[in-house]
Amino acid sequence: PRVTIVGAGRVGSTLAQRIAEKNLADVVLLDIVEGMPQGLALDLMEARGIELHNRQIIGTNNYIDTSGSQIVVITAGLPRKPGMSRDDLLLTNAKIVVEAAKNAIAHSPNAIFIVVTNPLDVMTYLAWQATGLPRHRIMGMAGVLDSARFETFIALELGVLPADVKAMVLGSHGDLMMPLSGYATVNGIPITELLDAPTIERLVQRTRNGGAEIVELMQTGGAFFAPASATSMMVESIVLNQSRLLPVAAYLQGEYGLEDVVIGVPCRLGCSGIESVLELTLTDEEIAALKVSAQSVRKNIDQAQK
Ligand code: NAI
């Protein structure tokens, strides 16, 4: 298989490395900056003998070279600066993502699209519109990353192995995201048995602020290692047809009482894309929070379309 990554910046180039070095697929890295994706591709190719894989990595500025991709990942666009919210990127990134989606679908009409550019849920919606794809073939990456952050903070608090913690974050990828503490466990034990309510609330808040915490520390751009890992997990589930149940930003048609909006919900991911959307039992409070989350995404979709 072949995976195209549009935007060879920090998330895109790290994702290229993950995909090639996990031996999942050949990679085409595309960027508007001339020479940069070509240089990165050559650099990654020169590591192959040491990393022991034989995947092709191509760098390009031309969509012709992306033809026939099974998956297209869009990471093109600006990242946040300190003090900015993801929504501040709306209008600049909307133009970039719509153009990228149109160009990519023209050369890979059968591809499954994964959007990474922020503000994530709105960009996924705009890319869905621009490509005209059926909804199972387009999705956004956010929930896997936000869940990994929540799991990390729980593991740090309890001093346990991160792999023993399982948690899920739904909703929009922003200040209104919904870490589901009622479903978080350590090897099957609910965290509510292990931590008191104020501590759980502190970890939930740190998760909501997880991206901004890194932007503030780095001052130049945002997180990219964990975002690349999270995206590669989704690519892997599709390429290897694993049917993993992951939180994914999906276009909803009535699920959770929501319609014509993109938001993070648990989805089964396989070779055809989103195989199904799981409707979890949520508390009344969580259902209300999901609605508020969806309303804010809808407001931004409308603003981007003005
Ligand atoms: P970056 O600035 O390192 O890379 C962005 C790349 O996009 C640059 O190389 C730039 O030249 C390229 N680009 C700009 N316009 C383009 C166009 N029209 N066509 C092709 N390429 C174009 O930024 P980084 O850190 O890689 O982040 C990329 C995006 O991903 C940002 O919007 C960021 O907010 C978002 N992000 C989303 C996450 C999520 O959970 N969904 C997590 C981390 C980042």
Side-chain angles (χ1 to χ4, degrees), residues 127-157:
W128 165 76
Q129 246 183 356
T131 54
L133 279 171
R135 66 171 185 149
H136 66 277
R137 277 177 46 204
I138 184 147
M139 67 197 83
M141 186 290 290
V144 178
L145 171 65
D146 296 329
S147 303
R149 285 179 173 153
F150 192 29
E151 289 165 357
T152 299
F153 301 143
I154 294 167
L156 285 173
E157 186 69 29

Side-chain angles (χ1 to χ4, degrees), residues 31 75 108 116 153 163 187 196 229 236 251 257 260 267 277 285 287 289:
D31 204 282
T75 76
S108 302
V116 177
F153 301 143
N187 284 336
D196 60 22
S229 294
E236 183 173 32
Y251 181 86
D260 193 30
C267 297
V277 174
E285 230 172 68
I287 290 169

